[in-house]
Amino acid sequence: MKALIYHLYHSGVFLEIDDTVLIFDYYHDISVPGREGLEAGVVDTTYLKGKRVYVFVTHRHSDHYNPLIFDWQKRVKDIKYILSNDIKIKSRGHNMIFMEKYQERIIDDIKVRTYGTTDQGLSYFLEAKDLNIYHAGDLNWWKWPDFSIEKQLQEERDFKNEVARIKGEVIDIAFIPVDPRLGENYYLAGKYFAQSLEPELLVPIHFGDNYQITDKFAAIMADTAVDSAILAGRGSKIVFTKENW
């Protein structure tokens, strides 16, 4: 089973598996100068025509959610939205599924389980087309340098407790925050998640324009059994083949 993955920007990612497209936390819709489409980190709805499209939003923060995603349904016939219940919209369409933490839904042939985060909203675990995919949203080990020792320890407990809920899931592709704003602590969540759940591939998210952090993180991950993607910029492309990974 093969998946085509584009890292769009920050926590926004695009996966294509056969005729199925999964889009997570898309918000930055301005193209890289001189480029267009997915390779510029932007979703072009002409590419989505004829595909089954599922759009996931982990929570309402403006770096994870842009209401423009709902414009896509004007041009894409087969599209569904799976949304955290903190997303507030005036008119809920029949193609919108709102979820809370620790729920399970079967949406067409995709099984969706939700988990929590250490900030707002949800994280998602999907069984789709023989691939198991996890998107962490804002689940992170938020060890901010200016936090008190007590607060740092609480953040550690909260993160590890949530990861413990996910243990037992077999994960092929995991999208996990690697946030450079945390200073020297940026790698803690990603490495702990990798060592605890051992996904086949870990793709860093939640780092803004700092793509160099993915190189640094890959070096830290070298002593684990998990591959970590190195991303050159917006629209970075990964071809994941399950049997060969």
Side-chain angles (χ1 to χ4, degrees):
M1 180 56 64
K2 183 168 74 173
L4 184 62
I5 306 166
Y6 286 92
H7 188 280
L8 300 174
Y9 185 75
H10 198 52
S11 296
V13 294
F14 178 106
L15 295 91
E16 184 175 359
I17 312 165
D18 295 334
D19 64 341
T20 299
V21 167
L22 312 171
I23 302 170
F24 292 86
D25 282 5
Y26 181 81
Y27 89 95
H28 192 0
D29 65 325
I30 300 173
S31 296
V32 174
R35 296 160 60 195
E36 59 184 26
L38 294 172
E39 293 186 355
V42 172
V43 172
D44 181 347
T45 53
T46 59
Y47 186 83
L48 302 179
K49 291 181 179 179
K51 302 183 187 297
R52 301 188 313 154
V53 181
Y54 302 86
V55 183
F56 295 83
V57 181
T58 60
H59 62 291
R60 64 178 179 156
H61 287 171
S62 60
D63 61 336
H64 292 257
Y65 167 59
N66 187 332
L68 71 82
I69 61 175
F70 299 118
D71 293 340
W72 297 345
Q73 61 191 320
K74 300 173 186 175
R75 298 180 292 278
V76 181
K77 181 179 179 181
D78 193 354
I79 187 168
K80 291 184 174 70
Y81 298 91
I82 300 88
L83 308 166
S84 169
N85 68 348
D86 69 329
I87 304 294
K88 307 300 181 187
I89 59 175
K90 291 182 179 179
S91 178
R92 294 190 175 194
H94 69 279
N95 59 344
M96 299 177 189
I97 299 105
F98 288 81
M99 299 189 71
E100 301 177 2
K101 292 188 292 186
Y102 316 127
Q103 290 185 326
E104 181 174 307
R105 293 283 299 269
I106 295 176
I107 303 168
D108 299 329
D109 59 353
I110 299 174
K111 184 180 286 188
V112 180
R113 277 193 289 279
T114 56
Y115 290 95
T117 76
T118 42
D119 196 342
Q120 191 165 352
L122 310 174
S123 56
Y124 290 105
F125 175 81
L126 277 59
E127 298 177 22
K129 296 280 189 177
D130 294 324
L131 286 176
N132 294 346
I133 299 156
Y134 176 79
H135 191 288
D138 264 357
L139 176 65
N140 201 354
W141 183 337
W142 297 111
K143 187 177 182 181
W144 295 101
D146 59 348
F147 276 180
S148 66
I149 296 298
E150 292 77 11
K151 180 61 173 171
Q152 288 184 344
L153 290 173
Q154 185 61 54
E155 291 289 342
E156 177 179 354
R157 285 192 294 270
D158 290 347
F159 174 74
K160 290 182 175 179
N161 286 341
E162 196 60 46
V163 170
R165 286 179 175 269
I166 307 166
K167 281 188 178 179
E169 303 284 21
V170 176
I171 301 174
D172 296 306
I173 305 165
F175 299 96
I176 308 296
V178 177
D179 193 325
R181 297 175 304 163
L182 293 170
E184 64 182 9
N185 303 318
Y186 78 94
Y187 71 92
L188 292 176
K191 188 162 187 179
Y192 183 85
F193 188 96
Q195 291 173 328
S196 299
L197 284 96
E198 296 188 334
E200 292 293 318
L201 172 66
L202 190 151
V203 180
I205 58 172
H206 212 281
F207 51 79
D209 292 309
N210 191 343
Y211 285 88
Q212 298 91 336
I213 204 81
T214 68
D215 271 296
K216 290 175 61 180
F217 183 68
I220 284 176
M221 291 286 288
D223 64 349
T224 74
V226 176
D227 286 330
S228 182
I230 297 174
L231 306 168
R234 286 187 69 189
S236 290
K237 178 179 171 182
I238 303 164
V239 179
F240 177 89
T241 305
K242 185 170 182 175
E243 56 267 27
N244 294 333
W245 205 267

